[in-house]
Amino acid sequence: MKILKFVVVNLIVFMSLIGCSDDNGTTKETEIPLNPLEYYQELNISYGDDANQVFDLYLPANRTEDTKTIILVHGGGWTTGDKSEMIDFKNSIRQDFPNTAIVNLNYRLANTTTSPYPMQINDISSVVNHLKTNQSKYTISNTIGFIGVSAGGHLALLWSYAHDTDNNVNMVCSIVGPTNFTDPEYLDPNPLMKPLIELFGIAPGTAFLEEISPYHQAKTSSPPTILFYGGNDPLIPTTQGTAMRDKLVSLGVTHQFTLYPDAGHGWIGLDLLDTYLKLKAFIETHL
């Protein structure tokens, strides 16, 4: 949907000013063992049989077994989108966190016959398991952080709250990500959102809606969380952010919440600069 893609376009405008892409469409040949003293990147690493089950890996020079990884999750309403939309996030992280590994992933896309859940959560699990299996080869730790946009924000929160069985996630960021599918705004959604919600099933039961909702999966042990929302978002009601904030308060989970009153499903200018500076500080503190 054009509106869903709008957030990604807006969010990368500022990022493109502070970093330049070094991707040239080529993939280095995998060498075993890799030299941890050298920077290494490998593009389109396959983790499944589907064409969308690939991710890009960026390993910093001089990495050690304490090197942490940030995983980027693109948006697109669970049905569209691509990791290329997160390239400018990757560039900014490489610039400001040169000792951090980065994974930029694609996941299988939903359609009218294939639900996004649990398929896309399973894809994130597969990527995390790949990193763990190859931990010695890559010379990284098991510690990870997430940055997700829109549907990617939902997936990042849900995986971090409900599927991180080994407590490897140190921080998670959601930018305009849905959080609570039992919200009355979603039970009787607007025409723009209704087809997307129906991807999870026509009139799904309350238990299922809670299972796929980060709001209902959060617990006292959930990782530090930073949230960003727009007050005039036509797709994501403000209550998706404020309710998630209040839930984290009640659980005592470290968090930060920002609402841009005049913004929609994406923003530019000073608001976007504010988002990046807050995210950068949050990563520095919690990853």
Side-chain angles (χ1 to χ4, degrees), residues 5-21 84-92 95 149 175 265-276:
K5 292 182 179 178
F6 174 74
V7 64
V8 177
V9 173
N10 279 340
L11 284 170
I12 66 174
V13 168
F14 172 73
M15 312 300 255
S16 64
L17 297 178
I18 59 177
C20 56
S21 175
S84 61
E85 297 165 1
M86 303 296 284
I87 288 294
D88 293 296
F89 278 94
K90 181 269 296 181
N91 290 337
S92 297
Q95 175 176 291
V149 176
I175 301 172
H265 199 64
W267 41 87
I268 59 175
L270 292 178
D271 285 347
L272 186 55
L273 174 60
D274 181 73
T275 297
Y276 179 71

Side-chain angles (χ1 to χ4, degrees), residues 196-234:
L196 298 177
I197 300 304
E198 289 180 349
L199 290 170
F200 293 95
I202 304 298
T206 300
F208 179 78
L209 291 174
E210 292 180 352
E211 184 177 346
I212 65 174
S213 296
Y215 175 88
H216 292 285
Q217 297 302 318
K219 45 192 176 292
T220 57
S221 60
S222 292
T225 301
I226 184 167
L227 305 166
F228 298 94
Y229 289 88
N232 287 322
D233 192 328

Side-chain angles (χ1 to χ4, degrees), residues 70-75 78 86 105 107 120-121 124-125 128 144-164 169-179 212-215 217 222-227 229 244:
I70 290 180
I71 299 176
L72 307 177
V73 191
H74 70 78
W78 303 282
M86 303 296 284
L105 67 87
Y107 48 84
Q120 292 168 353
I121 287 295
I124 294 176
S125 294
V128 172
I144 58 178
F146 278 98
I147 300 173
V149 176
S150 195
H154 162 257
L155 295 172
L157 289 174
L158 185 58
W159 198 93
S160 298
Y161 291 174
H163 299 273
D164 179 24
V169 180
N170 271 13
M171 58 77 57
V172 56
C173 169
S174 172
I175 301 172
V176 297
T179 63
I212 65 174
S213 296
Y215 175 88
Q217 297 302 318
S222 292
T225 301
I226 184 167
L227 305 166
Y229 289 88
M244 190 73 252

Side-chain angles (χ1 to χ4, degrees), residues 25-135:
T26 62
T27 302
K28 291 186 176 181
E29 292 296 327
T30 302
E31 297 177 359
I32 302 175
L34 302 178
N35 184 351
L37 299 178
E38 297 179 350
Y39 169 75
Y40 179 84
Q41 77 175 40
E42 187 172 355
L43 308 182
N44 294 316
I45 299 172
S46 177
Y47 65 91
D49 296 331
D50 191 274
N52 281 317
Q53 289 179 300
V54 294
F55 68 90
D56 300 338
L57 176 67
Y58 307 89
L59 300 175
N62 301 309
R63 58 192 177 276
T64 71
E65 293 179 354
D66 294 324
T67 295
K68 300 169 183 178
T69 302
I70 290 180
I71 299 176
L72 307 177
V73 191
H74 70 78
W78 303 282
T79 63
T80 64
D82 184 82
K83 56 186 170 64
S84 61
E85 297 165 1
M86 303 296 284
I87 288 294
D88 293 296
F89 278 94
K90 181 269 296 181
N91 290 337
S92 297
I93 294 167
R94 279 201 61 208
Q95 175 176 291
D96 291 321
F97 300 95
N99 297 318
T100 300
I102 303 168
V103 164
N104 190 12
L105 67 87
N106 271 353
Y107 48 84
R108 288 172 290 176
L109 301 176
N111 54 43
T112 55
T113 60
T114 307
S115 174
Y117 181 85
M119 175 177 68
Q120 292 168 353
I121 287 295
N122 290 342
D123 281 356
I124 294 176
S125 294
S126 294
V127 171
V128 172
N129 289 337
H130 175 93
L131 296 177
K132 290 181 178 181
T133 299
N134 291 278
Q135 180 181 2

Side-chain angles (χ1 to χ4, degrees), residues 184-202:
E185 294 281 348
Y186 278 171
L187 295 178
D188 186 20
N190 64 48
L192 289 174
M193 202 65 190
K194 188 174 186 293
L196 298 177
I197 300 304
E198 289 180 349
L199 290 170
F200 293 95
I202 304 298

